[in-house]
């Protein structure tokens, strides 16, 4: 994981100050532009461009289903999905921009702190879809209209029901430190995954680094993506996952696989995944059309139903059988703090887990 050591501050030289507090704390540069409706003129202009390039850290099957839904609604416009971990997405864009390569139209990251840096460096385009303006809570949209919360989910504990009885399953992060779980736990890495970067920040803030120091003594199986622990759990390589995507567990459980989510008594880390458009988008009209589609009620319901994700769109409905979001104790997200501390978190984590 050598690339995980690349400093996000070094990739994009940020300027300007942060205002701490809100989930999307960023320097205000201008008032948000008025919302833009999807018009026949926009659709025709997008069709002339013919494609939209989407860099995302969303699980590939979910991103591809979103792309196919867009292509079905707007024939003649192809979506090219470029999927990798959030930290790799960030590094790729930084390296491309450093070489004056502008290949990406729309970006999604599971590390909301990336948008603070992109905005500070002036490379995001202000664009407010109608649904965002009408329906999204203020805490889920940038005050300058440069990004909004496309997806919401949790990083959770889970277990394999073939290997662990419900009454013996961990109920908290503290339970993971029980010697009986030694050699039976899998977890992901904050140097690769934006989800795990955000979760690690929240956990070290609320539980302390001593928790990770003790967890490291449990002979953890260390993987990369936040989608990897659920996969290891599903096939029985490990009995318990210490972190990973809630939405993968939903997908697996609803497909009849032997996994069960656990919402830690201390609170589950809350993850926000924004979408944004770049100013130098090679397909600017297709980018706007795709961005508007992503925040529509239909697209948001799709990512809930087939993706297992949560949504900030109030017209969506949670899927039956899943624990309602309002009933879950969550940790508090703080993208500005993650941005400030990310490199230190990677360094300390690597030292603790020796990876």
């Amino acid at each position: 994981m050598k690339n995980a050591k690349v400093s996000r501050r070094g990739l994009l030289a940020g300027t300007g100050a942060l205002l701490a507090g809100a989930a999307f704390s960023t320097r205000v540069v201008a008032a948000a532009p008025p919302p833009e409706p999807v018009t026949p003129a926009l659709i025709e202009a997008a069709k002339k461009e013919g494609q939209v390039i989407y860099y995302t850290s969303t699980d590939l099957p979910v991103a591809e289903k979103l792309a196919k839904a867009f292509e079905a609604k707007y024939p003649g416009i192809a979506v090219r999905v470029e999927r990798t971990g959030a930290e790799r997405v960030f590094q790729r864009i930084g390296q491309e921009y450093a070489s004056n390569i502008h290949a990406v139209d729309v970006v999604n990251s599971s590390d909301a702190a990336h948008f603070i840096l992109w905005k500070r460096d002036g490379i995001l385009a202000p664009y407010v879809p109608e649904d965002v303006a009408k329906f999204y809570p203020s805490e889920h949209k940038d005050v300058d209209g440069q990004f909004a919360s496309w997806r919401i989910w949790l990083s959770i504990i889970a277990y394999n029901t073939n290997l662990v009885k419900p009454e013996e399953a961990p109920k908290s992060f503290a339970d993971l430190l029980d010697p009986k779980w030694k050699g039976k736990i899998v977890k992901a890495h904050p140097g690769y995954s934006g989800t795990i970067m955000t979760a690690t920040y929240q956990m070290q803030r609320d539980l302390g680094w001593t928790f990770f120091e003790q967890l490291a003594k449990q002979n953890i199986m260390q993987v990369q993506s936040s989608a990897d622990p659920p996969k290891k759990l599903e096939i029985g390589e490990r009995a318990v996952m210490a972190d990973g995507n809630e939405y993968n567990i939903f997908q697996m459980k609803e497909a009849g696989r032997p996994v069960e989510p656990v919402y830690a008594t201390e609170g589950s880390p809350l993850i926000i995944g924004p979408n944004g458009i770049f100013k130098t988008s090679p397909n600017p009209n297709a980018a706007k059309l795709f961005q508007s589609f992503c925040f529509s009620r239909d697209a948001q319901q799709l990512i809930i139903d087939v993706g297992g994700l949560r949504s900030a769109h109030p017209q969506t409905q949670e899927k039956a059988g899943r624990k309602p979001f309002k009933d879950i104790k969550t940790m508090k997200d703080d993208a500005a703090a993650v941005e400030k501390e990310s490199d230190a978190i990677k360094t300390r984590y690597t030292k603790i887990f020796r990876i």
Side-chain angles (χ1 to χ4, degrees), residues 260-282:
E260 185 67 28
V262 173
Y263 300 97
T265 56
E266 300 96 336
S268 297
L270 176 65
I271 318 297
I272 306 294
N275 258 29
I277 298 174
F278 287 96
K279 283 183 178 177
T280 53
S281 161

Side-chain angles (χ1 to χ4, degrees), residues 117-300:
L117 281 160
W118 287 325
K119 178 181 176 180
R120 185 192 300 164
D121 286 337
I123 62 175
L124 294 177
Y127 179 72
V128 181
E130 275 195 313
D131 277 72
V132 171
K134 289 180 179 179
F135 302 117
Y136 280 65
S138 59
E139 64 269 24
H140 285 290
K141 52 189 177 185
D142 174 52
V143 293
D144 301 314
Q146 296 187 18
F147 53 89
S149 301
W150 179 67
R151 57 182 174 130
I152 302 169
W153 69 107
L154 302 169
S155 176
I156 62 170
I157 298 170
Y159 64 94
N160 182 300
T161 56
N162 289 338
L163 302 176
V164 180
K165 296 178 180 179
E167 63 271 19
E168 296 175 351
K171 303 297 189 294
S172 66
F173 289 114
D175 288 348
L176 298 178
L177 305 180
D178 189 311
K180 72 179 182 180
W181 301 122
K182 191 167 187 176
K184 299 179 180 180
I185 300 174
V186 59
K187 78 176 304 297
H189 197 293
Y192 180 89
S193 166
T195 293
I196 304 306
M197 169 58 72
T198 300
T200 302
Y201 166 76
Q202 294 177 27
M203 291 169 68
Q204 61 81 28
R205 178 196 62 200
D206 294 358
L207 307 178
W209 279 109
T210 54
F211 166 76
F212 289 102
E213 291 166 356
Q214 292 174 301
L215 187 64
K217 298 176 183 178
Q218 293 285 66
N219 291 351
I220 298 294
M221 173 188 279
Q222 182 75 66
V223 292
Q224 289 189 328
S225 170
S226 56
D228 290 339
K231 294 172 184 175
K232 298 295 183 182
L233 202 66
E234 178 188 20
I235 63 177
E237 281 196 44
R238 285 295 184 272
V240 174
M241 73 177 203
D243 56 25
N245 294 326
E246 175 194 44
Y247 63 82
N248 289 122
I249 296 298
F250 281 156
Q251 292 169 21
M252 292 171 180
K253 182 179 178 180
E254 290 163 8
R257 306 305 298 161
V259 297
E260 185 67 28
V262 173
Y263 300 97
T265 56
E266 300 96 336
S268 297
L270 176 65
I271 318 297
I272 306 294
N275 258 29
I277 298 174
F278 287 96
K279 283 183 178 177
T280 53
S281 161
N283 305 289
N285 295 293
K288 289 180 178 180
L289 188 62
F290 184 70
Q291 180 81 331
S292 288
F293 175 78
C294 285
F295 287 99
S296 68
R297 190 205 66 81
D298 289 347
Q300 288 291 298

